[in-house]
């Protein structure tokens, strides 16, 4: 059975030692909170910015922006959604839910890695 709560998710997929960094954003502080993540010896990086939006309004929510870099260069990233083992690409209107009126799923995966330009623009690393 798929996890439905925060605790169930961590029990199923989390670290056994429960050692996680926790970022607690105060809704009164609407500034960007920035975290830098690195992978593969630092070749792949992401700047992750957390923003609390519409504080104290009915539409209050957390926005997470991700900016990808590969080998020090600004990179593209792709995203897809997952729910109940099904992949949703581009969050089509057939996605099983909505968040703030937009098609939504319970899980989001962001892929940062090899870069390929489509069209006439040359790859700046060539």
């Amino acid at each position: 059975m798929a996890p439905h709560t925060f605790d169930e998710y961590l029990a199923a997929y989390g670290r056994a030692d429960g050692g996680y960094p926790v970022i607690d954003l105060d809704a009164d502080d609407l500034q960007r909170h920035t975290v830098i993540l690195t992978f593969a010896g630092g070749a792949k990086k992401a700047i992750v910015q957390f923003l609390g939006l519409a504080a104290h309004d009915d539409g209050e929510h957390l926005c997470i922006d991700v900016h990808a870099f590969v080998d020090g260069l600004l990179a593209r990233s792709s995203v897809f959604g997952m729910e109940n083992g099904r992949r949703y690409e581009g969050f089509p209107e057939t996605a099983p839910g909505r968040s703030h009126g937009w098609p939504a799923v319970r899980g989001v995966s962001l892929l940062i890695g090899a870069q390929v330009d489509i069209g006439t623009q040359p790859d700046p690393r060539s």
Side-chain angles (χ1 to χ4, degrees):
M1 180 176 184
H4 289 282
T5 69
F6 180 80
D7 291 334
E8 289 172 349
Y9 186 89
L10 284 181
Y13 303 109
R15 293 175 44 171
D17 67 4
Y20 300 98
V22 175
I23 300 170
D24 187 9
L25 302 178
D26 183 345
D28 292 329
D29 180 3
L30 299 181
Q31 296 180 19
R32 293 179 191 265
H33 298 272
T34 302
V35 175
I36 298 172
L37 304 172
T38 64
F39 185 72
K44 294 165 184 74
K45 296 180 181 177
I47 296 173
V48 183
Q49 295 178 315
F50 302 89
L51 298 85
L53 300 176
H56 309 298
D57 291 340
D58 288 341
E60 181 177 34
H61 62 284
L62 173 65
C63 178
I64 302 172
D65 292 339
V66 180
H67 307 277
F69 296 84
V70 175
D71 296 329
L73 299 173
L74 184 60
R76 293 183 181 94
S77 52
S78 60
V79 63
F80 62 89
M82 291 290 291
E83 187 162 330
N84 296 326
R86 182 172 174 194
R87 182 176 173 150
Y88 291 87
E89 297 180 11
F91 297 89
E93 292 299 321
T94 58
R98 296 288 179 269
S99 178
H100 294 83
W102 292 85
V105 293
R106 289 192 173 113
V108 177
S109 297
L110 179 74
L111 306 175
I112 300 170
Q115 302 293 298
V116 176
D117 282 341
I118 297 174
T120 60
Q121 296 296 320
D123 186 336
R125 293 167 292 157
S126 301

